[in-house]
Amino acid sequence: MRISKVIMAASVAMCVFAGQVLGAEEEVVVGAQGAVIPLYKDKPYLHVIHKGRSVKVQRVQDTDFELHGYFAKTSRQCPPFCLGPMEVHPQVKTVGEIEIFHFMENQLRDGTGLLIDARTPEWHAKGTIPGSVNVPFTTLSKAIDDLEMIEALESFGAKPREPVGAVTKTLEEWGVMKAENMTDSWDFTNCKELVLWCNGPACGQSPRAITGLLEVGYPPEKIHYYRGGMQVWQLYGLTTIN
Amino acid sequence: MVLKAYRYKNDRKPRYWAIAAMTISIFVTPFSVMAAGDDDYLSALKQEAKKVDSKGGSSTASAATGDAGNAVSREVFEAELKDKYAGSAVFYGKLPASSQEEIFLEYQGGATISELRKKIMDRFLHR
């Protein structure tokens, strides 16, 4: 009985190993020799869930394709649409496209992260990055006791705290009780990792949303800023969805 | 004396009003300026959003990238599994139809490939 179990486990392991080797050989050829323009080296495309449907994210496969329209514009009226700095806050990480792809395949699929289109709904309706949810900066700039902000924070996995007594507060201040990622009114211990984006480097909507979140105590290490936004996403011919 | 008192009273009154008005304006003005600033920004955003429609820029890329928005069919899922994880595909193929359906539905629901591979083995080994 024991021997048969060992044989079965060994055959299962061999099959899985063989599968991985086979899988590696059978993957789509990308790069200079192949026809596929990948997302990045050895990554032809990925799938992300958008409103309950799986969407394939890839680059435009036509090397002669040129971007036209609004996001091909070089300049906009400044103010208000002025170029913003690379960093919104010293502790908030600014990310690029490859980090977004990894985020889509890991935190989004695992439910531990949210990709947030921080633009107003009229912008979101005209096209967005697949996998994004629309939480406008106008909501995330509200006061901590505003119903819209409360609903947003709850959807991000933050939990409202029971009124904190003087004793608890003192113990937390002394470090006797764990108070990391907690404010007087919110517990951010299990809150989701967020990537916020808007129209691009000259867009102030996601920086405002990030500032709003920091003001209510959202942990900065759980916030990421995709500065490239819709403009850079489209410049690289990446899939958008209406 | 009465006149003097009357004048004094009238002289003092405007000062109270002035102080009150100044105090109110000190507190109210920054908020109204802030609100006006926000309103200006929002209306500028609204105007700018209209330009996306007129030039149709954002839809160009999505149209060009092909099958965005299509739900992945079971055939596509199974083909991908076979392509990338042939071992798991073999065990998946040996599962009863109900288990295969369950795994496909989990994939559609956003489960990671490692979760799906684990589930395939769990179902295969009746765990």
Side-chain angles (χ1 to χ4, degrees), chain A residues 12 37 40 43 48 126 143 146 151 174 183 189 197 213 225:
Chain A
V12 165
I37 298 162
Y40 57 94
K43 185 74 183 175
V48 67
K126 285 174 180 167
D146 189 283
E151 282 177 355
W174 288 352
T183 65
T189 311
W197 63 271
L213 282 169
Y225 169 46

Side-chain angles (χ1 to χ4, degrees), chain A residues 47 54 58 70 109-110 126, chain B residues 48-49 58 65 70 80 111-112:
Chain A
H47 280 100
S54 187
Q58 60 183 346
Y70 182 80
R109 276 209 166 244
D110 293 341
K126 285 174 180 167
Chain B
E48 202 70 0
S58 63
T65 50
N70 296 337
E80 272 194 32
T112 59

Side-chain angles (χ1 to χ4, degrees), chain A residues 8 12 15-16 19-20 22-23 26-27 45 47 49 52-56 58-60 65 68-71 73 76 80-81 105 109-110 120 122-123 126-127 137-138 203-205 208 230 234 237-242, chain B residues 38 41-42 44-46 48-53 55-62 64-72 76 80 82-87 91 106-113 115-117 121 124-125:
Chain A
M8 193 176 170
V12 165
C15 285
V16 170
Q20 282 172 344
L22 262 175
E26 286 170 12
E27 274 188 12
Y45 55 83
H47 280 100
I49 301 296
R53 304 178 76 194
S54 187
V55 175
K56 189 177 185 178
Q58 60 183 346
R59 294 185 69 184
V60 171
F65 180 80
H68 297 283
Y70 182 80
F71 288 103
K73 283 169 72 173
R76 288 173 187 84
F81 307 111
E105 288 207 300
R109 276 209 166 244
D110 293 341
T120 51
E122 57 224 311
W123 283 96
K126 285 174 180 167
F137 78 95
T138 45
C203 174
Q205 298 184 70
R208 283 176 184 228
M230 201 59 163
Q234 292 209 22
L238 290 159
T239 305
T240 61
I241 190 159
N242 285 82
Chain B
D38 281 352
Y41 184 59
L42 284 173
L45 278 173
K46 212 169 191 174
E48 202 70 0
K50 284 178 189 163
K51 294 179 188 171
V52 181
D53 254 352
K55 301 200 175 173
S58 63
S59 58
T60 317
S62 62
T65 50
D67 57 352
N70 296 337
V72 168
V76 172
E80 272 194 32
K82 201 176 171 186
D83 274 352
K84 292 184 177 173
Y85 306 98
F91 295 114
E106 287 207 5
Y107 174 77
Q108 279 193 319
T112 59
I113 199 73
E115 286 170 344
L116 294 172
R117 292 178 74 195
M121 290 315 294
F124 181 74
L125 298 170

Side-chain angles (χ1 to χ4, degrees), chain A residues 8 12, chain B residues 91 94-96 98-99 102-103 117-127:
Chain A
M8 193 176 170
V12 165
Chain B
F91 295 114
K94 292 184 186 299
L95 294 177
S98 59
S99 297
E102 181 196 355
I103 285 156
R117 292 178 74 195
K118 186 179 178 298
K119 181 145 255 177
I120 289 169
M121 290 315 294
D122 285 350
R123 291 289 172 271
F124 181 74
L125 298 170
H126 304 288
R127 285 192 293 217

Side-chain angles (χ1 to χ4, degrees), chain A:
Chain A
M1 186 66 185
R2 192 176 284 172
I3 293 167
S4 67
K5 267 189 178 175
V6 171
I7 290 167
M8 193 176 170
S11 60
V12 165
M14 276 176 73
C15 285
V16 170
F17 178 71
Q20 282 172 344
V21 172
L22 262 175
E25 282 171 355
E26 286 170 12
E27 274 188 12
V28 183
V29 180
V30 295
Q33 293 102 7
V36 176
I37 298 162
L39 290 174
Y40 57 94
K41 196 172 181 292
D42 297 333
K43 185 74 183 175
Y45 55 83
L46 63 88
H47 280 100
V48 67
I49 301 296
H50 185 84
K51 293 181 181 169
R53 304 178 76 194
S54 187
V55 175
K56 189 177 185 178
V57 176
Q58 60 183 346
R59 294 185 69 184
V60 171
Q61 297 298 303
D62 176 7
T63 51
D64 292 325
F65 180 80
E66 285 181 3
L67 192 62
H68 297 283
Y70 182 80
F71 288 103
K73 283 169 72 173
T74 58
S75 311
R76 288 173 187 84
Q77 190 68 42
C78 168
F81 307 111
C82 302
L83 283 169
M86 185 60 90
E87 212 175 57
V88 174
H89 182 273
Q91 286 172 276
V92 172
K93 201 174 161 193
T94 301
V95 295
E97 290 70 37
I98 290 182
E99 288 83 3
I100 297 283
F101 303 147
H102 289 312
F103 191 82
M104 283 173 164
E105 288 207 300
N106 295 289
Q107 287 93 331
L108 278 197
R109 276 209 166 244
D110 293 341
T112 57
L114 283 171
L115 187 57
I116 295 177
D117 180 349
R119 301 173 301 165
T120 51
E122 57 224 311
W123 283 96
H124 177 75
K126 285 174 180 167
T128 190
I129 295 175
S132 301
V133 289
N134 185 211
V135 187
F137 78 95
T138 45
T139 298
L140 299 178
S141 308
K142 302 256 184 206
I144 197 160
D145 54 354
D146 189 283
L147 192 61
E148 278 184 55
M149 177 60 101
I150 291 169
E151 282 177 355
L153 291 178
E154 284 182 339
S155 71
F156 299 164
K159 285 184 183 152
R161 287 184 84 186
E162 294 297 319
V164 181
V167 177
T168 311
K169 204 172 174 182
T170 310
L171 290 173
E172 284 180 355
E173 280 168 5
W174 288 352
V176 179
M177 284 177 77
K178 198 183 162 199
E180 202 187 355
N181 292 333
M182 284 190 200
T183 65
D184 286 353
S185 46
W186 286 92
D187 178 357
F188 293 102
T189 311
N190 296 315
C191 66
K192 293 183 180 182
E193 231 176 291
L194 310 176
V195 175
L196 291 101
W197 63 271
C198 56
N199 280 329
C203 174
Q205 298 184 70
S206 50
R208 283 176 184 228
I210 290 170
T211 306
L213 282 169
L214 293 172
E215 276 173 10
V216 297
Y218 210 92
E221 64 276 10
K222 294 229 180 176
I223 305 176
H224 306 285
Y225 169 46
Y226 174 41
R227 183 174 179 265
M230 201 59 163
Q231 186 163 29
V232 177
W233 187 263
Q234 292 209 22
L235 188 66
Y236 293 134
L238 290 159
T239 305
T240 61
I241 190 159
N242 285 82

